């Protein structure tokens, strides 16, 4: 069975592997949300940033991309993804059904654990201020936001919160 992975945030622009196939995909009953405190990659314990996670919300829709790993590389890709995405137990690995133009597809997805201490629900203004000032092991938090927002825009995937956050963070850091 092929390994498919759902990209909705940084996996869109930093897959960490070369996909042999990709499909635009929709995941129902989840939305893309800056609901995970980043204390490793885009922030620190003292100054946490925010990263995107799939948050379960009945009726929500998240559009992203399903990436297929080469069968010969599937084990290595899975190991790499687990090392990267499961750095803490805030993400839970799930196999979920995506909708694609070619039909339903079973895919791996990283979903936030809503009872984990890194799970937060913050208003957009608070998110913007946290993202604007945070820096972690993989770089500044604003870069994560801008890269994701730019790719969603290039793909024609509407996400009004990402547009608002990008504009606000640019203003906060003096890039407007």
């Amino acid at each position: 069975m092929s390994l498919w992975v759902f990209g909705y945030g940084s996996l869109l622009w930093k897959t960490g592997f070369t996909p042999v196939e990709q499909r635009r995909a929709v995941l129902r009953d989840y939305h893309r949300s800056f609901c995970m405190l980043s204390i490793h990659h885009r922030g620190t314990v003292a100054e946490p940033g925010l990263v995107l996670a799939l948050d379960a919300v009945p009726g929500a829709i998240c559009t992203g991309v399903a990436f297929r790993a080469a069968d010969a590389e599937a084990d290595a890709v899975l190991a790499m993804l687990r090392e990267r995405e499961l750095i803490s137990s805030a993400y839970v690995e799930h196999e979920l059904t995506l909708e694609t133009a070619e039909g339903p597809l079973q895919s791996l997805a990283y979903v936030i654990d809503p009872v984990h201490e890194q799970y937060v629900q913050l208003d957009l203004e608070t998110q913007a201020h946290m993202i604007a000032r945070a820096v972690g092991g993989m770089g500044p938090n604003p870069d994560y936001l801008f890269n994701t927002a730019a790719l969603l825009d290039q793909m024609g995937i509407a996400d009004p919160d990402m547009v608002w956050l990008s504009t606000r963070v640019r203003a906060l850091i003096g890039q407007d």
Side-chain angles (χ1 to χ4, degrees):
M1 183 161 172
S2 295
L3 174 64
W4 288 89
V5 181
F6 184 55
Y8 58 87
S10 64
L11 280 172
L12 292 170
W13 48 270
K14 189 177 181 181
T15 57
F17 67 99
T18 303
V20 294
E21 185 178 355
Q22 59 186 52
R23 298 178 188 175
R24 188 176 179 118
V26 172
L27 177 61
R28 295 200 179 273
D29 296 322
Y30 290 88
H31 77 117
R32 175 184 10 258
S33 173
F34 276 103
C35 63
M36 181 173 158
L37 293 174
S38 181
I39 57 174
H40 301 287
H41 296 319
R42 297 295 173 165
T44 63
V45 172
E47 190 81 56
L50 291 169
V51 291
L52 293 165
L54 289 172
D55 197 8
V57 176
I61 295 175
C62 180
T63 302
V65 176
F67 298 102
R68 185 170 67 86
D71 291 343
E73 298 173 4
D75 289 342
V77 167
L78 185 57
M80 177 275 300
L81 288 169
R82 286 177 172 165
E83 182 177 334
R84 171 180 154 179
E85 301 297 330
L86 303 178
I87 192 166
S88 73
S89 56
Y91 278 136
V92 179
E93 193 177 85
H94 285 283
E95 189 168 302
L96 300 171
T97 302
L98 306 176
E99 297 172 11
T100 73
E102 295 84 359
L105 179 68
Q106 290 301 114
S107 175
L108 197 65
Y110 293 94
V111 176
I112 190 74
D113 177 354
V115 298
H116 194 277
E117 63 188 7
Q118 286 175 255
Y119 177 74
V120 292
Q121 289 284 292
L122 304 168
D123 62 83
L124 289 174
E125 185 68 24
T126 302
Q127 290 177 36
H129 282 272
M130 288 180 72
I131 291 168
R133 68 177 180 255
V135 178
M138 288 192 168
N141 205 175
D143 291 353
Y144 174 97
L145 166 65
F146 300 151
N147 287 339
T148 306
L151 195 56
L152 290 172
D153 185 57
Q154 288 170 14
M155 295 176 66
I157 297 173
D159 191 321
D161 287 352
M162 294 289 277
V163 172
W164 188 93
L165 281 167
S166 292
T167 301
R168 183 67 178 124
V169 170
R170 284 188 195 286
L172 290 169
I173 65 174
Q175 286 188 5
D176 54 349

